[in-house]
Amino acid sequence: MERNQHRKRIVILGGGTGLSTLLRGLKLYPLDLTAIVTVADDGGSSGRLRDDLDIPPPGDIRNVMAALSDAEPLVAEMFQYRFKHSLDLDGHSLGNLMLAALTDITGDFSHAVREMSRVLSVNGTVLPAANQIVTLSAELEDGTIIEGESKIPAYLQPIKRVFIEPYDVKALPATIAAIENADVIVVGPGSLYTSILPNLLVKDIRKAVIAAKAKKIYICNLMTQAGETYKYTASDHVKALYDHVDEKFLDAILLDKVQMPATIAERYEKEQAWPVEYDEERLKKMGLEVYRKDIANISGETVRHEPTKVAEWLFEYADGHASKDSKQLYF
C-alpha cells in the first residue's frame, strides 16, 4: 500500500462527527496523522464540564481519540460510555470525566490529552485548537449576535460571520509545527460554522495554514445544515471559509459524485436540509482543482461520508496519484 518510505504527514482541522468519521478510515493507512480539534463546544456533557470545572470542552477531543484508538474494543467502548439514570452523572461520558480528571491532575488540558492518547494507543496526534476555553459567537445577517456554539444553529437564520473570544487565543506550538510540516492539510467535512471555522479563527492557526507549503483540500459536506448552511452550494461553503480566513487558501475540493435517491432527499428536506449543489464551474473559477468521487454511504435514511472511501482517496491524493472523475453516478 505504501509507495515510498516517507509517511505522508496529514493534518485535519475540524470537529464533530465529520472529523471522527474521516479519521476512522485514515488510521488504517500508513500516514502520519494530526487532528486539530475545535474547543468551542458548549452543549451537553462537554458544556457542563466546561462551566463547572473551567476547562476546555472535552467532547470533540474524546470522539477523535476514540476514532483513532488502537486499544482493545472494550476499552474504547468504556471510554465512550455515557451514564444514564443518575442525577449527578446523567449524560456525562466516561471519557469526558477522565479527561476532566487528568486535566485537574496535570493542571493542563493539552497534557491530559497527550496522556489519555497514550493510554488509548491513539494512532496519530490529537491537538486541541486552543488550550483554554473559547467562546464561539455568530452575527446573523439581521445584526443579531448569538453567543454560544450550541445556540447558533437553533436560530435558523442566515449567518453573516462567526467569531471567537478571546480573539487573541494562542495555539499550541505543537499545532503550528504540525501545520508547517504537513504534506496535506484537510479541512472538513463537518458543520461549517460551528466545527470547522472555530479552528481557523485561532489567529496562529489561520496564519500557519495560509503560509504552509502543504496541499490544502476541503472535503465538502454532502448535505446542507439547518441553521448554518441553508441551501448553500459547494462554492458558498468555500466562500464562507475564504471570508473568515481573508485569503483564498485552498488548492482543491473533494465532492461526492452520487445522485441521492429522491426518498432520502425528501426525508432530509423535512429537517430543512438539502443535498449540497456542486457548482463545479464556479469552483473552478475560484481557482480550485475539483475532484468528484464516490465517497458517500447511505444507511437506512441517512447519508454520510464513507470513511474507507474518503481515506483511500486522500491517501492517493497525498501520494500524488489521485484521479479526477466528475461523472455522476446514481444509486
Side-chain angles (χ1 to χ4, degrees), residues 184 215-222 234 250-258 278-280 283-284 287-295 305 310 313-314 316-328:
V184 177
K215 293 185 286 187
K216 300 155 198 171
I217 184 165
Y218 174 52
I219 300 179
C220 191
N221 291 343
L222 303 170
L250 294 168
D251 299 304
I253 185 169
L254 177 61
L255 311 171
D256 185 44
K257 70 171 184 178
V258 180
Y278 296 144
D279 46 351
E280 289 187 56
L283 291 167
K284 290 173 182 176
L288 292 169
E289 285 189 288
V290 178
Y291 295 86
R292 291 197 71 168
K293 303 297 291 184
D294 175 11
I295 53 172
H305 283 96
V310 180
W313 185 88
L314 270 176
E316 297 293 328
Y317 180 76
D319 213 24
H321 293 84
S323 62
K324 293 181 181 178
D325 186 355
S326 60
K327 184 179 178 182
Q328 193 172 63

Side-chain angles (χ1 to χ4, degrees), residues 238-258:
V238 173
K239 184 178 184 300
L241 289 167
Y242 287 177
D243 286 348
H244 283 78
V245 172
D246 202 26
E247 184 88 25
K248 294 181 178 180
F249 68 98
L250 294 168
D251 299 304
I253 185 169
L254 177 61
L255 311 171
D256 185 44
K257 70 171 184 178
V258 180

Side-chain angles (χ1 to χ4, degrees), residues 117-293:
S117 294
R118 184 174 57 83
V119 170
L120 291 173
S121 300
V122 165
N123 185 1
T125 303
V126 181
L127 296 168
N131 202 28
Q132 67 182 82
I133 289 177
V134 170
T135 300
L136 181 71
S137 298
E139 180 184 359
L140 306 182
E141 285 192 356
D142 66 2
T144 303
I145 302 294
I146 309 300
E147 183 177 305
E149 178 269 344
S150 62
K151 300 180 182 68
I152 293 169
Y155 277 76
L156 297 175
Q157 296 295 321
I159 296 170
K160 181 178 180 180
R161 67 182 180 106
V162 289
F163 56 96
I164 58 171
E165 295 175 324
Y167 74 93
D168 57 351
V169 63
K170 298 294 183 184
L172 294 166
T175 301
I176 303 307
I179 293 170
E180 289 174 343
N181 294 319
D183 295 302
V184 177
I185 296 172
V186 180
V187 178
S191 299
L192 178 63
Y193 288 102
T194 55
S195 290
I196 296 172
L197 277 169
N199 297 289
L200 293 166
L201 292 174
V202 176
K203 184 164 54 175
D204 296 341
I205 292 178
R206 183 167 67 250
K207 288 182 176 179
V209 168
I210 291 170
K213 296 178 181 178
K215 293 185 286 187
K216 300 155 198 171
I217 184 165
Y218 174 52
I219 300 179
C220 191
N221 291 343
L222 303 170
M223 306 295 299
T224 63
Q225 186 174 350
E228 289 206 35
T229 53
Y230 180 80
K231 293 202 171 180
Y232 269 33
T233 65
S235 66
D236 290 332
H237 285 75
V238 173
K239 184 178 184 300
L241 289 167
Y242 287 177
D243 286 348
H244 283 78
V245 172
D246 202 26
E247 184 88 25
K248 294 181 178 180
F249 68 98
L250 294 168
D251 299 304
I253 185 169
L254 177 61
L255 311 171
D256 185 44
K257 70 171 184 178
V258 180
Q259 176 72 27
M260 186 178 300
T263 53
I264 305 296
E266 288 169 5
R267 204 277 298 172
Y268 271 101
E269 197 169 327
K270 294 175 183 176
E271 302 175 6
Q272 295 190 49
W274 285 264
V276 174
E277 178 190 340
Y278 296 144
D279 46 351
E280 289 187 56
E281 290 308 312
R282 188 177 177 202
L283 291 167
K284 290 173 182 176
K285 288 178 181 177
M286 296 172 83
L288 292 169
E289 285 189 288
V290 178
Y291 295 86
R292 291 197 71 168
K293 303 297 291 184

Side-chain angles (χ1 to χ4, degrees), residues 38-42 46-47 50 55-61 109 132-134:
T38 177
V39 289
D41 187 12
D42 66 352
S46 284
R50 162 188 156 131
I55 63 171
D60 281 346
I61 293 275
F109 183 67
Q132 67 182 82
I133 289 177
V134 170

